Amino acid sequence: MSNGVEREQWGSKLGFILAAAGSAVGLGNIWRFPYVCGMNGGAAFLILYVAIVFIIGYSVMMAEISVGRKAELNAVGSFRKVAGGPWVLLGWMGVACGFIILSYYCVIGGWTIKYILASFTGLMQAGAEGKAGDIFGGFITNTPQVVIYQALFMLITIFIVAQGVGEGIEKYCKILMPMLFVLLLVLIVRSVTLPGAGEGIAFYLKPDFSKITGPTLLAAAGQAFFSLSLGMGCMVTYGSYLDKQTFIPGAAAQVCFLDTAVAFLAGLVIFPAVFAFGVEPGAGPGLTFVTLPGIFSQMPGGAVWSALFFLLLMVAGITSSISLLEVVGAYFMDELKWTRKKTAWTLGIVIFLMGIPSAYSLTGGLKIAGKDFLDAADFVASNVLLPLGGLFIALFVGWFWKDEAEKEVTNQGTKPFGLHTPWVWVCRIVAPLTLAYIFITGLKW
Ligand code: TRP
């Protein structure tokens, strides 16, 4: 893509959907969604979350992909080309946000690698004895070990991004993502048939709207943007590799649907088991990692299931982490004409170093105004920067780029988009006002 060579493109329409879904489906669905849902009251959160995904998330996703496909550039370059002026800040904010998210994302990604191996070295036994929490606690407070696995996860990310978009990204999504999906279905069967699972199903599916507060709403919006990879130019960048024939509203709908399905299924695995094993649903970021071993230990051949699951989860995490590195990398390649290899390695190493404070903060020893460094970084990125980015992208497309956007989503008028008018009004009014309201009522450290 640098040095005047023709810009890379996805191999096929399916290639884009797989890659975009690969970016969206990741640790956000299986690690982050269940614990955020658990901390925010369960079923009522789930309903709000789904509403935000399909009204605001879907609209912002189309906005991002349209801008990217039109401009055929990285996030900063795209906004400079189609908008100019202060809108370029949106691109910058996205690149900065990519640095932050990827820095701690690799720490959690490292946990999945650790758990693949631990499946065969005592994790099952601990799960069976209800001691998976001790194993988890012992691991995350051992910073050198956490950093080694973090480095491994980052190395895999770098290798793939260094190879390039076409072969690099698509190939890995095609077989492994459907496998993860099937494995989740198997785990649901085991989880909902555990004794005592009913209470968890009720927690997850029977809403109690009195639990909804401002901060809960903000958490739902933050989770929606994080999970859909929105608000920081990721879908702008991926859209920039998209061919001109693909129907953006259809592709975006598929990505939103797949992503939400995986998160929903993950909740259906985790919550019945949370209650069956007497774990606190609001236990926080370790929720998935202390609950799953218990489920596996109750299955014949549990260690193998467990290793396979964490392997697939790692792959889902990798297809997301490469999208994060790709966003920041595309900027350095397009604008500074760095080669792909130099970009992937330089940025990868810098971001790895940026993640070390997050890894160390798991010991409880590094706090920013009362929050662990990792939580603080995640809060700033997911609950502030991403929704803010989404708000401005919606405003831009809804008010200043409406006609161009219409051409882009209808492929120059050749494919009608039935929801075009509602989409424009969501971008103009609904998304900005809702997000502004959520910020005002929910922004508490
Ligand atoms: N969506 C991914 C997940 O759920 C994480 C991710 C990838 C992301 N690219 C992003 C989050 C861009 C925000 C912005 O795990």
Side-chain angles (χ1 to χ4, degrees):
M1 99 194 340
S2 54
N3 313 330
V5 178
E6 196 181 321
R7 198 173 167 79
E8 295 161 90
Q9 276 203 352
W10 305 110
S12 61
K13 166 157 180 256
L14 186 65
F16 170 78
I17 291 175
L18 281 170
S23 166
V25 176
L27 304 173
N29 303 61
I30 289 163
W31 156 70
R32 201 175 187 282
F33 173 78
Y35 96 75
V36 175
C37 180
M39 287 175 89
N40 288 283
F45 175 92
L46 173 66
I47 292 172
L48 284 172
Y49 171 75
V50 172
I52 294 176
V53 165
F54 284 100
I55 300 171
I56 298 180
Y58 177 56
S59 300
V60 171
M61 185 175 289
M62 279 191 285
E64 284 201 23
I65 297 174
S66 305
V67 167
R69 187 170 73 172
K70 176 73 192 176
E72 299 188 301
L73 285 170
N74 64 86
V76 177
S78 287
F79 282 105
R80 184 181 298 131
K81 183 163 168 187
V82 305
W87 297 110
V88 181
L89 282 174
L90 260 177
W92 286 111
M93 201 169 86
V95 172
C97 198
F99 273 91
I100 301 176
I101 295 181
L102 187 54
S103 75
Y104 66 83
Y105 203 85
C106 288
V107 175
I108 314 292
W111 296 2
T112 62
I113 304 181
K114 162 77 186 180
Y115 268 57
I116 299 170
L117 306 174
S119 299
F120 300 108
T121 58
L123 191 63
M124 291 308 104
Q125 202 187 346
E129 292 166 2
K131 294 201 175 107
D134 298 345
I135 297 246
F136 179 71
F139 166 56
I140 64 168
T141 49
N142 181 346
T143 303
Q145 223 196 115
V146 173
V147 170
I148 288 173
Y149 287 109
Q150 174 204 352
L152 226 83
F153 190 86
M154 179 54 105
L155 272 176
I156 303 173
T157 305
I158 294 174
F159 270 122
I160 298 175
V161 172
Q163 277 179 49
V165 185
E167 316 90 81
I169 300 180
E170 284 181 45
K171 196 166 68 186
Y172 297 88
C173 304
K174 284 194 183 149
I175 318 157
L176 297 168
M177 304 289 291
M179 272 176 76
L180 179 68
F181 202 85
V182 173
L183 203 52
L184 280 172
L185 295 176
V186 173
L187 290 181
I188 289 172
V189 174
R190 177 64 278 199
S191 187
V192 300
T193 52
L194 288 168
E199 220 185 312
I201 298 174
F203 175 83
Y204 189 45
L205 298 178
K206 265 209 192 136
D208 169 1
F209 285 100
S210 68
K211 290 185 179 157
I212 296 301
T213 60
T216 316
L217 260 175
L218 182 62
Q223 175 62 26
F225 279 91
F226 186 94
S227 192
L228 296 172
S229 302
L230 292 179
M232 51 84 68
C234 186
M235 291 297 163
V236 175
T237 306
Y238 271 30
S240 76
Y241 305 124
L242 182 59
D243 67 84
K244 301 290 180 194
Q245 287 78 46
T246 299
F247 185 49
I248 293 175
Q254 291 183 48
V255 174
C256 289
F257 181 77
L258 270 173
D259 184 67
T260 308
V262 174
F264 176 73
L265 295 182
L268 216 44
V269 173
I270 300 298
F271 287 112
V274 161
F275 282 80
F277 300 143
V279 180
E280 216 8 83
L287 191 67
T288 292
F289 287 83
V290 300
T291 310
L292 282 174
I295 304 179
F296 292 124
S297 72
Q298 307 264 329
M299 295 167 66
V304 177
W305 288 106
S306 171
L308 181 62
F309 180 84
F310 285 110
L311 177 72
L312 293 173
L313 180 55
M314 181 200 88
V315 172
I318 293 283
T319 58
S320 303
S321 65
I322 55 184
S323 76
L324 286 157
L325 189 55
E326 185 68 30
V327 178
V328 290
Y331 169 74
F332 286 80
M333 290 185 282
D334 281 351
E335 310 269 319
L336 306 183
K337 306 289 175 218
W338 284 14
T339 63
R340 204 165 242 292
K341 280 216 162 51
K342 174 175 168 188
T343 307
W345 283 98
T346 313
L347 298 184
I349 291 169
V350 169
I351 296 171
F352 161 71
L353 295 174
M354 282 172 60
I356 291 178
S358 287
Y360 176 67
S361 78
L362 299 169
T363 60
L366 181 60
K367 292 192 189 290
I368 294 189
K371 270 192 206 295
D372 289 342
F373 191 89
L374 193 156
D375 289 338
D378 181 51
F379 185 88
V380 170
S382 310
N383 287 12
V384 182
L385 295 178
L386 296 180
L388 208 61
L391 194 162
F392 283 108
I393 288 168
L395 280 178
F396 169 65
V397 167
W399 293 97
F400 301 96
W401 205 63
K402 196 172 89 38
D403 298 338
E404 284 295 329
E406 178 166 5
K407 283 190 207 148
E408 214 42 65
V409 293
T410 59
N411 291 354
Q412 315 298 324
T414 60
K415 285 205 178 171
F417 172 36
L419 294 173
H420 180 257
T421 308
W423 174 56
V424 170
W425 285 102
V426 170
C427 289
R428 292 189 142 187
I429 308 277
V430 179
L433 278 189
T434 311
L435 291 171
Y437 171 80
I438 289 177
F439 272 125
I440 292 165
T441 56
L443 202 53
K444 293 196 184 73
W445 186 254

